[in-house]
Short mmCIF file of all heavy atoms in Angstrom, two decimals:
data_model
loop_
_atom_site.label_atom_id
_atom_site.label_comp_id
_atom_site.label_asym_id
_atom_site.label_seq_id
_atom_site.Cartn_x
_atom_site.Cartn_y
_atom_site.Cartn_z
N LEU A 17 -16.89 22.54 -3.65
CA LEU A 17 -15.87 21.52 -3.42
C LEU A 17 -15.63 20.66 -4.63
O LEU A 17 -14.54 20.25 -4.94
CB LEU A 17 -16.32 20.57 -2.30
CG LEU A 17 -16.57 21.14 -0.94
CD1 LEU A 17 -16.91 20.03 0.03
CD2 LEU A 17 -15.36 21.92 -0.45
N SER A 21 -19.22 16.93 -13.60
CA SER A 21 -19.51 16.86 -15.03
C SER A 21 -20.50 15.72 -15.21
O SER A 21 -20.42 14.71 -14.53
CB SER A 21 -18.21 16.60 -15.79
OG SER A 21 -18.47 15.83 -16.93
N SER A 39 -15.77 8.74 -10.56
CA SER A 39 -16.27 8.37 -9.24
C SER A 39 -16.70 6.90 -9.21
O SER A 39 -16.85 6.26 -10.23
CB SER A 39 -17.48 9.22 -8.88
OG SER A 39 -18.63 8.74 -9.55
N LEU A 57 -8.55 3.29 -13.31
CA LEU A 57 -8.55 2.75 -14.66
C LEU A 57 -9.53 3.47 -15.58
O LEU A 57 -9.49 3.27 -16.80
CB LEU A 57 -8.86 1.25 -14.64
CG LEU A 57 -7.85 0.33 -13.92
CD1 LEU A 57 -8.33 -1.10 -13.93
CD2 LEU A 57 -6.45 0.46 -14.53
N PHE A 78 -18.41 1.05 18.50
CA PHE A 78 -19.38 2.05 18.02
C PHE A 78 -20.20 2.64 19.16
O PHE A 78 -21.36 2.97 18.96
CB PHE A 78 -20.24 1.41 16.94
CG PHE A 78 -19.44 0.93 15.75
CD1 PHE A 78 -19.08 -0.43 15.64
CD2 PHE A 78 -18.97 1.80 14.81
CE1 PHE A 78 -18.31 -0.88 14.58
CE2 PHE A 78 -18.20 1.38 13.74
CZ PHE A 78 -17.84 0.03 13.61
N GLY A 93 -11.06 13.51 2.76
CA GLY A 93 -9.91 12.62 2.61
C GLY A 93 -9.08 12.49 3.87
O GLY A 93 -8.11 11.72 3.88
N THR A 96 -7.45 10.81 9.48
CA THR A 96 -7.11 11.03 10.88
C THR A 96 -8.34 11.48 11.65
O THR A 96 -8.47 11.25 12.85
CB THR A 96 -6.01 12.08 10.98
OG1 THR A 96 -4.92 11.65 10.18
CG2 THR A 96 -5.52 12.24 12.43
N VAL A 101 -17.27 6.59 6.77
CA VAL A 101 -18.23 7.54 6.21
C VAL A 101 -19.50 6.76 5.88
O VAL A 101 -19.45 5.57 5.56
CB VAL A 101 -17.70 8.24 4.94
CG1 VAL A 101 -16.50 9.12 5.28
CG2 VAL A 101 -17.33 7.23 3.84
N VAL A 102 -20.65 7.43 5.95
CA VAL A 102 -21.92 6.82 5.56
C VAL A 102 -22.18 7.22 4.12
O VAL A 102 -22.29 8.41 3.80
CB VAL A 102 -23.08 7.28 6.47
CG1 VAL A 102 -24.40 6.68 6.01
CG2 VAL A 102 -22.80 6.92 7.93
N THR A 106 -29.15 5.46 6.95
CA THR A 106 -29.15 6.01 8.30
C THR A 106 -28.64 4.98 9.27
O THR A 106 -29.11 3.84 9.28
CB THR A 106 -30.60 6.39 8.71
OG1 THR A 106 -31.17 7.17 7.67
CG2 THR A 106 -30.59 7.18 9.99
N MET A 117 -27.46 -0.58 11.31
CA MET A 117 -27.67 -0.11 9.96
C MET A 117 -29.16 -0.36 9.65
O MET A 117 -29.68 -1.46 9.95
CB MET A 117 -26.82 -0.91 8.97
CG MET A 117 -25.33 -0.77 9.28
SD MET A 117 -24.30 -1.57 8.01
CE MET A 117 -24.47 -3.30 8.46
N ARG A 127 -25.15 1.97 3.85
CA ARG A 127 -23.79 1.48 3.58
C ARG A 127 -22.80 2.42 4.23
O ARG A 127 -22.91 3.64 4.12
CB ARG A 127 -23.52 1.40 2.09
CG ARG A 127 -22.06 1.06 1.78
CD ARG A 127 -21.85 0.57 0.37
NE ARG A 127 -22.06 1.61 -0.66
CZ ARG A 127 -21.06 2.29 -1.21
NH1 ARG A 127 -19.81 2.08 -0.88
NH2 ARG A 127 -21.34 3.20 -2.13
N SER A 159 -12.18 -2.64 -3.64
CA SER A 159 -11.13 -1.75 -4.10
C SER A 159 -11.69 -0.79 -5.13
O SER A 159 -12.80 -0.97 -5.65
CB SER A 159 -9.97 -2.53 -4.68
OG SER A 159 -10.15 -2.77 -6.06
N GLU A 164 -12.94 -7.40 -4.93
CA GLU A 164 -13.91 -7.44 -3.84
C GLU A 164 -13.88 -8.79 -3.13
O GLU A 164 -13.69 -9.83 -3.76
CB GLU A 164 -15.32 -7.23 -4.46
CG GLU A 164 -16.48 -7.36 -3.51
CD GLU A 164 -17.83 -7.12 -4.20
OE1 GLU A 164 -17.88 -6.54 -5.33
OE2 GLU A 164 -18.84 -7.55 -3.63
N ASP A 166 -16.12 -10.88 -0.12
CA ASP A 166 -17.44 -10.78 0.51
C ASP A 166 -17.70 -11.74 1.63
O ASP A 166 -17.36 -12.94 1.55
CB ASP A 166 -18.55 -11.10 -0.50
CG ASP A 166 -18.65 -10.11 -1.64
OD1 ASP A 166 -18.04 -9.03 -1.55
OD2 ASP A 166 -19.35 -10.43 -2.61
N ASN A 172 -33.18 -14.67 4.60
CA ASN A 172 -34.07 -15.80 4.92
C ASN A 172 -33.28 -17.01 5.39
O ASN A 172 -33.84 -18.07 5.62
CB ASN A 172 -34.97 -16.15 3.72
CG ASN A 172 -34.24 -16.93 2.65
OD1 ASN A 172 -33.02 -16.75 2.49
ND2 ASN A 172 -34.95 -17.77 1.93
N ASN A 180 -17.59 -14.95 -1.05
CA ASN A 180 -17.41 -14.76 -2.49
C ASN A 180 -16.26 -13.79 -2.72
O ASN A 180 -15.79 -13.14 -1.77
CB ASN A 180 -18.69 -14.24 -3.13
CG ASN A 180 -18.86 -14.67 -4.57
OD1 ASN A 180 -17.93 -15.20 -5.18
ND2 ASN A 180 -20.04 -14.43 -5.12
N GLY A 185 -14.25 -6.60 -10.71
CA GLY A 185 -15.68 -6.54 -11.00
C GLY A 185 -16.27 -7.82 -11.56
O GLY A 185 -17.49 -7.89 -11.77
N HIS A 196 -21.68 -21.33 3.97
CA HIS A 196 -21.08 -21.93 5.17
C HIS A 196 -22.11 -21.90 6.28
O HIS A 196 -22.58 -20.83 6.69
CB HIS A 196 -19.82 -21.16 5.55
CG HIS A 196 -18.92 -20.94 4.37
ND1 HIS A 196 -18.12 -21.92 3.87
CD2 HIS A 196 -18.78 -19.86 3.56
CE1 HIS A 196 -17.48 -21.46 2.78
NE2 HIS A 196 -17.88 -20.20 2.57
N THR A 202 -28.09 -16.15 13.10
CA THR A 202 -27.19 -14.99 12.90
C THR A 202 -27.87 -13.66 13.18
O THR A 202 -27.20 -12.65 13.31
CB THR A 202 -26.65 -14.98 11.45
OG1 THR A 202 -27.77 -14.87 10.54
CG2 THR A 202 -25.86 -16.23 11.14
N ASN A 205 -27.69 -13.83 17.34
CA ASN A 205 -26.39 -14.03 17.97
C ASN A 205 -25.27 -13.33 17.22
O ASN A 205 -25.24 -13.34 16.00
CB ASN A 205 -26.04 -15.52 18.00
CG ASN A 205 -27.07 -16.34 18.76
OD1 ASN A 205 -27.06 -16.35 19.99
ND2 ASN A 205 -27.96 -16.98 18.04
N GLY A 264 -32.66 -7.78 -10.48
CA GLY A 264 -32.76 -8.89 -11.44
C GLY A 264 -33.40 -10.08 -10.76
O GLY A 264 -33.33 -10.25 -9.55
N GLU A 330 2.37 10.88 0.21
CA GLU A 330 1.55 11.96 -0.32
C GLU A 330 0.28 12.12 0.55
O GLU A 330 -0.26 11.15 1.03
CB GLU A 330 1.12 11.66 -1.76
CG GLU A 330 2.22 11.78 -2.77
CD GLU A 330 1.74 11.33 -4.15
OE1 GLU A 330 0.68 11.79 -4.59
OE2 GLU A 330 2.44 10.50 -4.75
N SER A 331 -0.15 13.36 0.68
CA SER A 331 -1.34 13.64 1.49
C SER A 331 -2.59 13.10 0.79
O SER A 331 -2.70 13.11 -0.43
CB SER A 331 -1.50 15.16 1.68
OG SER A 331 -2.75 15.42 2.28
N GLY A 349 -26.11 15.23 14.71
CA GLY A 349 -26.73 15.20 16.05
C GLY A 349 -28.24 14.99 15.95
O GLY A 349 -28.82 14.21 16.66
N VAL A 352 -29.18 11.28 14.93
CA VAL A 352 -29.00 10.30 16.00
C VAL A 352 -30.08 10.48 17.06
O VAL A 352 -30.68 9.53 17.52
CB VAL A 352 -27.60 10.42 16.63
CG1 VAL A 352 -27.52 9.57 17.88
CG2 VAL A 352 -26.55 9.99 15.63
N GLY A 353 -30.33 11.73 17.39
CA GLY A 353 -31.31 12.01 18.42
C GLY A 353 -32.66 11.37 18.14
O GLY A 353 -33.24 10.67 18.96
#
Side-chain angles (χ1 to χ4, degrees):
L17 300 183
S21 147
S39 78
L57 297 177
F78 301 98
T96 305
V101 295
V102 178
T106 310
M117 300 186 283
R127 173 163 69 99
S159 89
E164 175 180 343
D166 294 348
N172 77 330
N180 209 349
H196 312 282
T202 61
N205 300 281
E330 287 174 50
S331 171
V352 170

